[in-house]
Amino acid sequence: MMKKEIEKIGVFTSGGDAPGMNAAVRAVVRTTLYHGKEVHGIKRGYRGMVEGEIEKMGPRSVSNIIQSGGTILKTARSEAFLTKEGRRKAYQSLMSHAIDALAAIGGDGTFRGAVEFFDEFGVPVVGIPSTIDNDIYGTDFTIGFDTAVNTALQSVDRIRDTAQSHDRVFLIEVMGRQAGFIGLAVGVSGGAEHILIPETKSDLDALCEEARSWARRQKGSRIVIVSEGDELGNAAEIGKKIAERTGIDYRVCVLGHTQRGGSPTARDRILASLLGKAAVEALLDGETNVMVGEVNGEVVRTPLRETWEKKKPIDDRLVQLREILSR
Ligand code: F6P
């Protein structure tokens, strides 16, 4: 059977926002127009799809957004889309605008929804990985990760000054849901004394022993990076446990959503531009249910299911650096 030619692409952002999402939207819009097709923006992710918040976009709809964080299309969680009835409404909204393919910008929740929707209604979809967490298989980096790491790093550098001045232990909590990509990158680039991430075993006894030794070894700043999904708990809980056992004075800083905002780095803008273009080209090639990503400098297509079913490994070289360089 001949595949139906794609004439109108719908683009949306979903899940947690990430710096660079706007650059990806811009690339999808302008690439679609470059190929002589139409493009519509769907507001607030799946919620807007269900509720019919859909607008035609032109080249000027995406002017002046490459440098801005957040997402002009907005993002939301949709209870309705989790139901078959909600997804049927979403399908009807798409059909009423004659949208015949989707570019889905987000993380694994976004992709799971897209596959389920395809299975039921057959709307072709290509995913563009965008989450600060970097926890998506099929791309070395997700859009937003580099900016989030650099944003967190600026805070770590500042905290180091005050930690050094007071000879104080600081526990700095970074985001990452259940993944330690941000924690490991921030810890290694920030020269942390200790890095706790969910992918490796965290040992409270060893951490306390090390904390006792920092004063003996005349270490001024004593920075512990805690990834939010670590098995020992959050930064406040871990700080309390260390203090109970050692009596060491400590402070906690939770970087939280500061990591999600801000102007995207050049790396994130370039990645978003490459992948936005690649997503449109994949759709026009007749592809569906794939994610475009960058692996070893090449743009590749990975079946959407694999992006959450396969686990992306953390970089062992960085884990080794953590052990060697924190002395
Ligand atoms: O997925 C990105 C992320 O920032 C995670 O690192 C974090 O756990 C979560 O989103 C926070 O979600 P919310 O904005 O809903 O609090």
Side-chain angles (χ1 to χ4, degrees), residues 111 115 125-127 136-139 287-293 300-310:
F111 299 160
V115 168
V125 61
V126 170
I136 306 277
Y137 179 86
T139 189
E287 280 273 20
T288 183
N289 287 20
V290 295
M291 181 194 82
V292 290
V300 296
R301 298 171 184 175
T302 302
L304 271 177
R305 262 179 209 287
E306 283 186 18
T307 67
W308 71 83
E309 282 177 358
K310 293 195 174 169

XYZ file of all heavy atoms in Angstrom, residues 111 115 125-127 136-139 287-293 300-310:
216
model
N 6.679 10.241 24.679
C 6.820 9.208 23.643
C 5.874 8.026 23.897
O 5.318 7.454 22.963
C 8.271 8.723 23.558
C 9.260 9.812 23.197
C 10.619 9.679 23.460
C 8.834 10.981 22.583
C 11.519 10.684 23.132
C 9.717 12.000 22.243
C 11.069 11.841 22.519
N 3.075 6.717 21.144
C 2.996 5.358 20.593
C 1.589 4.783 20.812
O 1.002 4.174 19.916
C 4.090 4.456 21.221
C 3.835 2.988 20.898
C 5.465 4.882 20.711
N 4.065 9.624 13.920
C 4.702 10.513 14.896
C 6.210 10.273 14.921
O 6.677 9.135 14.817
C 4.082 10.315 16.300
C 4.273 8.898 16.821
C 4.654 11.317 17.296
N 6.946 11.374 15.033
C 8.395 11.281 15.257
C 8.719 12.073 16.519
O 8.204 13.180 16.719
C 9.189 11.810 14.031
C 10.669 11.953 14.360
C 9.028 10.837 12.856
N 9.555 11.492 17.382
C 9.903 12.115 18.653
C 11.217 12.887 18.566
O 12.132 12.515 17.830
N 17.212 9.373 28.104
C 16.512 8.779 26.962
C 17.510 7.982 26.133
O 18.526 8.530 25.674
C 15.914 9.884 26.062
C 15.020 10.832 26.863
C 15.182 9.283 24.868
C 13.622 10.365 27.092
N 17.207 6.724 25.919
C 18.053 5.870 25.070
C 17.882 6.304 23.599
O 16.781 6.635 23.166
C 17.619 4.407 25.238
C 18.419 3.465 24.384
C 19.632 2.953 24.837
C 17.980 3.117 23.107
C 20.385 2.110 24.032
C 18.725 2.277 22.303
C 19.930 1.778 22.774
O 20.669 0.958 21.975
N 18.997 6.275 22.842
C 18.892 6.599 21.410
C 19.443 7.967 21.054
O 19.377 8.386 19.898
N 20.000 8.645 22.035
C 20.682 9.920 21.762
C 21.732 10.127 22.848
O 21.482 9.804 24.020
C 19.687 11.113 21.723
O 20.379 12.272 21.241
C 19.044 11.406 23.067
N 8.355 7.878 7.741
C 8.667 7.179 8.996
C 7.590 7.456 10.045
O 6.953 8.516 10.031
C 9.993 7.704 9.567
C 11.213 7.139 8.927
C 11.665 5.832 9.564
O 10.850 5.165 10.236
O 12.841 5.487 9.355
N 7.462 6.533 10.964
C 6.656 6.809 12.156
C 7.212 6.013 13.325
O 7.996 5.080 13.141
C 5.170 6.468 11.942
O 4.460 6.837 13.145
C 4.928 4.995 11.661
N 6.814 6.428 14.534
C 7.216 5.736 15.757
C 8.723 5.614 15.913
O 9.227 4.599 16.379
C 6.583 4.338 15.828
C 5.107 4.420 16.120
O 4.496 5.465 15.904
N 4.537 3.360 16.620
N 9.419 6.630 15.494
C 10.863 6.686 15.741
C 11.176 7.992 16.455
O 10.402 8.950 16.395
C 11.725 6.613 14.452
C 11.564 5.274 13.766
C 11.413 7.762 13.507
N 12.329 7.984 17.124
C 12.853 9.216 17.705
C 14.120 9.571 16.945
O 14.912 8.674 16.620
C 13.189 9.000 19.184
C 13.733 10.245 19.876
S 14.482 9.845 21.466
C 16.117 9.283 20.958
N 14.307 10.836 16.649
C 15.585 11.242 16.075
C 16.513 11.637 17.223
O 16.087 12.247 18.201
C 15.427 12.414 15.071
C 14.728 11.950 13.808
C 14.675 13.591 15.683
N 17.764 11.231 17.126
C 18.724 11.544 18.179
C 20.101 11.682 17.571
O 20.290 11.429 16.370
N 20.537 9.851 14.113
C 20.019 8.491 13.900
C 18.538 8.428 14.293
O 18.039 9.294 15.009
C 20.803 7.440 14.746
C 22.253 7.360 14.316
C 20.709 7.745 16.239
N 17.871 7.384 13.797
C 16.467 7.158 14.142
C 16.376 5.882 14.979
O 16.915 4.850 14.589
C 15.624 7.010 12.878
C 15.643 8.259 12.001
C 14.981 8.023 10.649
N 15.097 9.204 9.798
C 14.709 9.272 8.534
N 14.156 8.199 7.943
N 14.854 10.366 7.837
N 15.692 5.964 16.108
C 15.560 4.815 17.007
C 14.072 4.550 17.231
O 13.321 5.513 17.453
C 16.222 5.144 18.375
O 17.590 5.477 18.137
C 16.140 3.991 19.358
N 13.641 3.283 17.162
C 12.226 3.013 17.431
C 11.805 3.617 18.777
O 12.526 3.478 19.770
C 12.155 1.482 17.482
C 13.324 1.028 16.652
C 14.398 2.069 16.851
N 10.672 4.311 18.786
C 10.271 5.021 20.009
C 10.223 4.118 21.238
O 10.635 4.511 22.318
C 8.900 5.672 19.798
C 8.919 7.093 19.220
C 7.495 7.583 18.985
C 9.651 8.069 20.123
N 9.737 2.891 21.056
C 9.636 1.993 22.212
C 10.987 1.760 22.885
O 11.093 1.699 24.102
C 9.091 0.635 21.780
C 7.637 0.500 22.016
C 7.108 -0.843 21.568
N 5.726 -0.687 21.180
C 4.727 -0.511 22.026
N 4.955 -0.511 23.324
N 3.495 -0.347 21.588
N 12.020 1.637 22.033
C 13.362 1.376 22.603
C 13.835 2.527 23.484
O 14.643 2.336 24.380
C 14.387 1.185 21.473
C 14.300 -0.161 20.823
C 15.405 -0.380 19.801
O 16.424 0.337 19.813
O 15.226 -1.285 18.961
N 13.333 3.732 23.205
C 13.849 4.898 23.934
C 13.543 4.832 25.420
O 14.215 5.455 26.215
C 13.308 6.233 23.356
O 11.895 6.303 23.596
C 13.603 6.355 21.879
N 12.490 4.111 25.794
C 12.251 3.937 27.235
C 12.471 2.496 27.681
O 12.741 2.240 28.847
C 10.873 4.448 27.654
C 9.696 3.637 27.198
C 9.190 2.515 27.794
C 8.860 3.881 26.056
N 8.098 2.057 27.089
C 7.867 2.878 26.029
C 8.853 4.863 25.067
C 6.881 2.821 25.043
C 7.867 4.799 24.086
C 6.900 3.796 24.077
N 12.389 1.528 26.728
C 12.586 0.132 27.159
C 14.063 -0.180 27.386
O 14.402 -0.994 28.228
C 11.994 -0.824 26.122
C 10.481 -0.900 26.247
C 9.813 -1.787 25.207
O 10.504 -2.348 24.337
O 8.585 -1.905 25.284
N 14.938 0.468 26.616
C 16.377 0.247 26.822
C 16.903 1.317 27.766
O 16.495 2.473 27.677
C 17.123 0.322 25.494
C 16.782 -0.810 24.562
C 17.790 -0.903 23.458
C 17.515 -2.144 22.613
N 18.299 -2.147 21.371
